[in-house]
Amino acid sequence: MKHSSPWPQAFRSLAIIAGAAFSLSVTAQVNVEEAKNVFKDNDCRKCHSPDKAKGGPSLKKIAEKYKGKPDAEQKLIKHMTQGPRVKLENGKEEDHKLLDSNDPKVLKNVARWILSH
Ligand code: HEC
C-alpha cells in the first residue's frame, strides 16, 4: 500500500473532535428544565409555542431569524427585559411582556434555550 501523508486524516479527526466538544459545551450551558419553567411561569407560552405561531412567532421561527448572528443572545435578552411594542398575529399592538427576572444567568439561559430550537 502506498504511504500517503498522514496529515489530512489527522486534521479531519481533530476537526471532528473539536466540533463535538463545542456542541457538547453549548448544550451543557443550557438548563432546559429551568428555561421551560421560567417560560411557563411568565406566561410566555400564551403567545409562543415551540413550533406554532400563536399570538407571537414560534420559538423555531425566532431561532431561525437569529441563526448565525453573534449578538442573538443579547438581542433576545434586550427584547425580554425592555418590552418593545409588538404586533400580535391578530394585528393588535401591545407592549411585549417582560420577563420577571434581572438575573443575567436566568436571562441568558432562556435566550440560549429559545435559540436552541
Ligand atoms: C401577548 C403575547 C406575547 C406574550 C405573552 C409573550 N410574547 Fe414574545 N413576542 C410576541 C410577539 C407578537 C412577538 C413578535 C415581535 C416582533 O417580531 O416584532 C414576540 C417576540 C418575542 C421574541 C423575539 C424577539 C425578536 O427580536 O425577534 C422573544 C425572544 C420573545 N418574544 C420572548 C418572550 C418571552 C420570554 C415571553 C415571556 C416573558 C414572551 N415572549 C411573552 C408576543 C408575546
Side-chain angles (χ1 to χ4, degrees):
M1 199 167 71
K2 219 178 130 213
H3 195 80
S4 60
S5 158
W7 280 110
Q9 182 57 46
F11 274 126
R12 215 169 303 141
S13 312
L14 259 182
I16 289 166
I17 292 166
F22 180 72
S23 48
L24 258 181
S25 71
V26 168
T27 28
Q29 280 165 348
V30 178
N31 183 337
V32 174
E33 276 314 302
E34 187 199 278
K36 278 187 176 165
N37 282 335
V38 173
F39 208 69
K40 189 171 119 214
D41 293 346
N42 279 272
D43 268 341
C44 311
R45 295 201 305 190
K46 203 176 107 196
C47 297
H48 297 288
S49 92
D51 48 19
K52 275 190 221 67
K54 182 179 164 190
S58 70
L59 300 182
K60 279 213 173 96
K61 202 155 170 201
I62 298 173
E64 232 165 65
K65 175 175 161 192
Y66 284 101
K67 204 172 183 166
K69 303 215 168 105
D71 59 346
E73 236 174 79
Q74 284 315 311
K75 284 253 170 72
L76 292 204
I77 290 174
K78 209 169 143 196
H79 183 92
M80 297 184 290
T81 52
Q82 296 188 346
R85 197 120 186 117
V86 295
K87 202 167 181 173
L88 305 187
E89 297 276 323
N90 64 12
K92 235 179 79 190
E93 279 191 39
E94 60 178 74
D95 292 336
H96 191 265
K97 189 169 169 62
L98 298 176
L99 208 149
D100 70 351
S101 170
N102 291 316
D103 185 344
K105 253 171 66 191
V106 171
L107 293 167
K108 223 174 171 148
N109 190 51
V110 172
R112 283 191 181 158
W113 174 70
I114 292 174
L115 294 169
S116 76
H117 280 77

